[in-house]
Amino acid sequence: MSKPILILGGGPAGLTAAHALSTVGQKSILIEKEDRLGGAPILSGYAKLVPPGEWAKDVIGAMVTRVEDNDLVDIRTSSTVTAFSGEPGAFTASLSDGTAIEAGAAVLCSGFTHFDSINKPEWGFGTFEDVITTAQAEQMISSGQGIHCPSDGRKPERVAILLCVGSRDRQIGREWCSKICCTVSSNLAMEIREELPNCHVYIYYMDIRTFGLYEDTYYWKSQEEYKVKYIKARIAEVTSDGERLIVKGEDTLVKRPITIPFDLVVHAIGMDPNVDNLEIAATFGVDLEPHGHIGRAPTYSGMSGTSRPGVFVAGAATGPETIDDSIAQGQAAAMAALAAARGPALAAE
Amino acid sequence: MSKPILILGGGPAGLTAAHALSTVGQKSILIEKEDRLGGAPILSGYAKLVPPGEWAKDVIGAMVTRVEDNDLVDIRTSSTVTAFSGEPGAFTASLSDGTAIEAGAAVLCSGFTHFDSINKPEWGFGTFEDVITTAQAEQMISSGQGIHCPSDGRKPERVAILLCVGSRDRQIGREWCSKICCTVSSNLAMEIREELPNCHVYIYYMDIRTFGLYEDTYYWKSQEEYKVKYIKARIAEVTSDGERLIVKGEDTLVKRPITIPFDLVVHAIGMDPNVDNLEIAATFGVDLEPHGHIGRAPTYSGMSGTSRPGVFVAGAATGPETIDDSIAQGQAAAMAALAAARGPALAAE
């Protein structure tokens, strides 16, 4: 019997890796620092996800249940790894509860940390109650409360979604694009328009990055079927006239200042490296890439690899990532870990 | 001994799937319609690839060699599948050479077809010799000839790269974004500037979609270190004044017509569905999605799946895709196919 595979993180990538391994009879130990599985979509209460269009609690929830009901997956919630040593096929990890486990390989699926909008103060978060984040807007929808203004509970008549909050912004040290916020915002705008058909929804953008097949299924659909309006703009600040929020900036297409009132302003927050990455990198002995994400092998022939043999990485731990690509990477890393832990011995049967 | 897994297509996804399966002792049969492996990067002669920055012939070539030298991979080039029947664990396929093979599962890695610029005639391809495609520009570099004007062989002093040729263009039935052309064009522009330091390189774009970590490593780097210029514009036509090519359009940032002369114009061509997709779908009994790509299961819990159990899909067969995501998907589909073909029997040892 080969040793189990250690999986760090119970979000989409980690859940997929654990399930994938079980389908070929391979045991895994799934370690999650929070008290429940599901990762950001569950812990942050996302609403309907891109691309399946189903509720996070249903689709990610099903992935959680599938793993919880699986005898080949040993789940350790509220746990972290405090030490890790050994080599492929024979690693030993110490856990925060004092126990030690053996593992044939490890897969880091430790995800990301949402950008904290308080670090972009001129855009009103923390100052005005009715400036919220995409995560908060999703929570309003997924909780059943519906979209509303936190200040007084009223339903907004005008909503602005500001893209690239904590992304593509060197002033605050976030050079990267967070990859999925454009599409998530198109999706959110459609959800708002479905709930509040008379509400005007504007998306302020630099570039619209609804890449691949998201182009017509989100960007065009949101404009044509849902009448969402897109404004290419540089935002200067979000203030208030005492009654409504005022978004000030420059429309970079017509090259003139724009000052538009809104009831609710939503920050499309980016994906920061996981705040624990320095600790994770030190514990597992792997390198971080220059932005602070977990470094992925820069070679096509071993793309799930890290700088340490036998330790693999998948999903948003490597940088901003979509859920569907995180899932593919989770499954890919499971395959790589399986080979590292068991190798061609599998050919035996 | 379980049956081998049939892999259709010897590009990055298929090469990865075959290798991944071999690492756990699983045999595969790799079927490629062309007379050699490597897929678009090799067959079309790509130059340095995104993101490793290494030559296609080296990095994809190494993936080809790794599979060619592998006893667990049965390679059938110049072959197609003419019939496919059975069920997971017990499929039978007929090949174009008249032989029949048994397979436990199948993975469709049949890729895409480059957009043919002749279908965008107002942009000058087919009319002017010095209007070429990104694939042709890459061939000039990878062949060692270097970037030049096909009409007279001179080195260009001014090059325009036009993005979204055959992408995001409803007039010609291409609603999708081809996902990677922006980043590939940034990369190509840097290669041109490296070879010809005095050449001015302009990229005409609608939105710059250098998503995720490509933002600073391609988009910003190309501007800051390589002085590539980006123009947000709608192109009207590419003509000639008898000496040089003339790109006419509207600069959509300053809202005025622009007419700029160039020596060489490069079409950043998009990714069409594989021209063989109707035949592949009929043979394998799988559904196509509305754009004509091979339909991928719209569910997070089985994303490598097609509409037929035991038949999986990976890479650009599913829609425009990057090479690195194609590789992850190839490995992911290998894992799914392994489970379909062998299931928990692997637990035996």
Side-chain angles (χ1 to χ4, degrees):
Chain A
M1 178 65 77
S2 70
K3 296 190 172 77
I5 288 167
L6 186 163
I7 299 170
L8 188 73
L15 292 169
T16 302
H19 169 73
L21 291 167
S22 78
T23 61
V24 294
Q26 172 64 48
K27 286 186 179 177
S28 64
I29 301 175
L30 180 56
I31 297 166
E32 167 59 50
K33 70 176 174 179
E34 303 295 339
D35 62 1
R36 60 199 171 120
L37 300 178
I42 294 296
L43 297 167
S44 295
Y46 290 178
K48 288 183 184 170
L49 297 180
V50 172
E54 295 174 85
W55 295 98
K57 65 178 166 39
D58 294 334
V59 286
I60 306 295
M63 293 168 68
V64 169
T65 305
R66 183 170 72 169
V67 159
E68 286 177 340
D69 293 347
N70 195 321
D71 290 341
L72 294 173
V73 186
D74 175 359
I75 298 170
R76 314 281 183 103
T77 49
S78 303
S79 292
T80 57
V81 175
T82 56
F84 184 81
S85 61
E87 57 189 48
F91 289 113
T92 304
S94 304
L95 305 189
S96 50
D97 65 2
T99 61
I101 57 171
E102 294 196 319
V107 184
L108 307 179
C109 304
S110 40
F112 69 102
T113 296
H114 282 114
F115 175 74
D116 186 347
S117 270
I118 215 77
N119 295 313
K120 194 71 188 171
E122 65 273 32
W123 290 11
F125 185 86
T127 305
F128 304 111
E129 275 184 278
D130 296 338
V131 177
I132 64 174
T133 66
T134 33
Q136 290 174 308
E138 300 238 358
Q139 285 154 19
M140 287 181 181
I141 295 170
S142 65
S143 68
Q145 295 182 299
I147 291 289
H148 62 274
C149 297
S151 66
D152 59 5
R154 77 183 189 282
K155 292 292 178 185
E157 293 170 2
R158 298 175 58 79
V159 174
I161 302 175
L162 312 184
L163 290 180
C164 301
V165 186
S167 303
R168 306 184 68 189
D169 188 343
R170 292 185 179 188
Q171 288 181 330
I172 54 172
R174 270 76 177 180
E175 295 95 353
W176 56 85
C177 155
S178 287
K179 193 171 179 182
I180 192 61
C181 332
C182 285
T183 307
V184 162
S185 295
S186 289
N187 188 44
L188 175 63
M190 291 192 279
E191 289 183 276
I192 295 173
R193 289 278 301 161
E194 243 172 38
E195 184 198 337
L196 305 171
N198 295 320
C199 180
H200 298 273
V201 181
Y202 290 76
I203 292 179
Y204 285 77
Y205 70 97
M206 284 198 275
D207 294 283
I208 283 293
R209 295 186 166 176
T210 46
F211 50 78
L213 303 185
Y214 297 155
E215 176 72 4
D216 54 334
T217 52
Y218 289 91
Y219 182 46
W220 286 108
K221 185 178 178 188
S222 68
Q223 292 180 76
E224 297 184 338
E225 291 183 31
Y226 288 85
K227 310 303 179 196
V228 174
K229 292 139 195 140
Y230 288 77
I231 303 179
K232 182 168 170 69
R234 283 281 181 183
I235 308 297
E237 60 174 346
V238 178
T239 61
S240 169
D241 66 2
E243 297 215 336
R244 282 182 154 182
L245 297 167
I246 307 293
V247 176
K248 292 184 182 176
E250 182 195 355
D251 183 319
T252 48
L253 287 185
V254 299
K255 289 278 175 195
R256 63 181 185 197
I258 45 173
T259 300
I260 307 184
F262 289 99
D263 300 301
L264 186 69
V265 170
V266 183
H267 283 195
I269 50 174
M271 298 169 84
D272 273 2
N274 189 320
V275 291
D276 296 332
N277 272 1
L278 280 176
E279 199 176 328
I280 291 170
T283 301
F284 284 89
V286 298
D287 294 340
L288 298 179
E289 54 83 58
H291 304 90
H293 308 285
I294 293 176
R296 191 164 69 147
T299 164
Y300 281 159
S301 51
M303 289 204 69
S304 301
T306 64
S307 57
R308 181 170 187 172
V311 180
F312 303 90
V313 62
T318 66
E321 200 46 278
T322 64
I323 297 178
D324 48 335
D325 284 337
S326 294
I327 286 172
Q329 289 172 21
Q331 203 172 8
M335 184 84 205
L338 186 69
R342 307 213 276 181
L346 283 195
E349 88 273 33
Chain B
M1 178 66 74
S2 70
K3 297 190 172 76
I5 288 168
L6 186 162
I7 299 171
L8 187 72
L15 291 169
T16 303
H19 170 73
L21 291 167
S22 79
T23 61
V24 295
Q26 172 65 49
K27 286 187 179 177
S28 63
I29 301 174
L30 179 57
I31 297 165
E32 166 60 50
K33 68 176 174 177
E34 304 295 340
D35 62 1
R36 60 200 172 122
L37 301 178
I42 294 298
L43 296 168
S44 295
Y46 290 179
K48 288 184 184 168
L49 298 179
V50 174
E54 294 174 87
W55 295 99
K57 65 177 163 42
D58 294 333
V59 286
I60 305 294
M63 293 168 68
V64 169
T65 305
R66 180 170 75 169
V67 159
E68 286 176 341
D69 293 346
N70 196 319
D71 290 339
L72 293 173
V73 185
D74 176 357
I75 298 171
R76 313 282 183 101
T77 48
S78 304
S79 294
T80 57
V81 176
T82 56
F84 185 81
S85 61
E87 56 190 47
F91 289 113
T92 303
S94 304
L95 305 189
S96 50
D97 64 2
T99 60
I101 57 171
E102 295 196 319
V107 185
L108 307 179
C109 303
S110 40
F112 69 102
T113 296
H114 283 114
F115 174 73
D116 185 348
S117 270
I118 215 78
N119 295 311
K120 193 69 186 171
E122 64 271 33
W123 290 12
F125 184 85
T127 304
F128 304 110
E129 276 184 279
D130 295 339
V131 178
I132 64 173
T133 66
T134 34
Q136 290 173 309
E138 300 237 0
Q139 285 155 17
M140 287 181 181
I141 296 170
S142 65
S143 68
Q145 295 182 299
I147 291 289
H148 62 274
C149 298
S151 66
D152 60 3
R154 77 183 188 281
K155 292 290 179 188
E157 293 171 3
R158 300 174 57 81
V159 174
I161 302 175
L162 312 185
L163 290 179
C164 300
V165 186
S167 303
R168 305 184 69 189
D169 188 342
R170 291 185 180 188
Q171 288 181 332
I172 53 171
R174 270 75 176 179
E175 295 95 350
W176 57 85
C177 154
S178 289
K179 193 172 178 180
I180 192 62
C181 333
C182 285
T183 307
V184 162
S185 296
S186 290
N187 188 45
L188 175 63
M190 291 191 281
E191 290 182 276
I192 295 173
R193 290 277 301 160
E194 246 173 36
E195 184 198 335
L196 305 171
N198 295 320
C199 179
H200 298 274
V201 182
Y202 290 76
I203 293 179
Y204 285 78
Y205 71 96
M206 285 199 275
D207 295 282
I208 284 293
R209 294 186 167 175
T210 45
F211 51 78
L213 303 184
Y214 297 156
E215 176 72 3
D216 54 335
T217 51
Y218 289 91
Y219 182 46
W220 286 108
K221 185 179 179 189
S222 67
Q223 291 179 77
E224 296 183 340
E225 290 183 33
Y226 288 84
K227 311 303 179 194
V228 176
K229 292 135 194 145
Y230 288 77
I231 303 180
K232 183 171 169 68
R234 283 281 179 180
I235 307 296
E237 59 174 347
V238 178
T239 61
S240 169
D241 65 2
E243 298 217 337
R244 282 181 154 183
L245 297 167
I246 308 292
V247 176
K248 293 185 180 176
E250 183 194 353
D251 183 319
T252 49
L253 287 184
V254 299
K255 289 278 177 198
R256 65 179 182 198
I258 45 172
T259 299
I260 307 183
F262 290 98
D263 300 301
L264 186 69
V265 171
V266 182
H267 283 197
I269 49 174
M271 298 168 83
D272 272 3
N274 189 320
V275 291
D276 297 331
N277 271 1
L278 279 175
E279 199 176 330
I280 292 170
T283 301
F284 284 90
V286 299
D287 295 339
L288 298 179
E289 56 82 59
H291 304 90
H293 309 285
I294 294 176
R296 193 165 69 148
T299 165
Y300 281 158
S301 51
M303 289 203 69
S304 301
T306 63
S307 57
R308 180 170 187 171
V311 180
F312 304 91
V313 63
T318 67
E321 200 48 278
T322 63
I323 297 178
D324 48 334
D325 284 338
S326 294
I327 286 172
Q329 289 172 22
Q331 203 171 10
M335 184 83 203
L338 185 70
R342 307 214 282 182
L346 283 195
E349 90 277 32

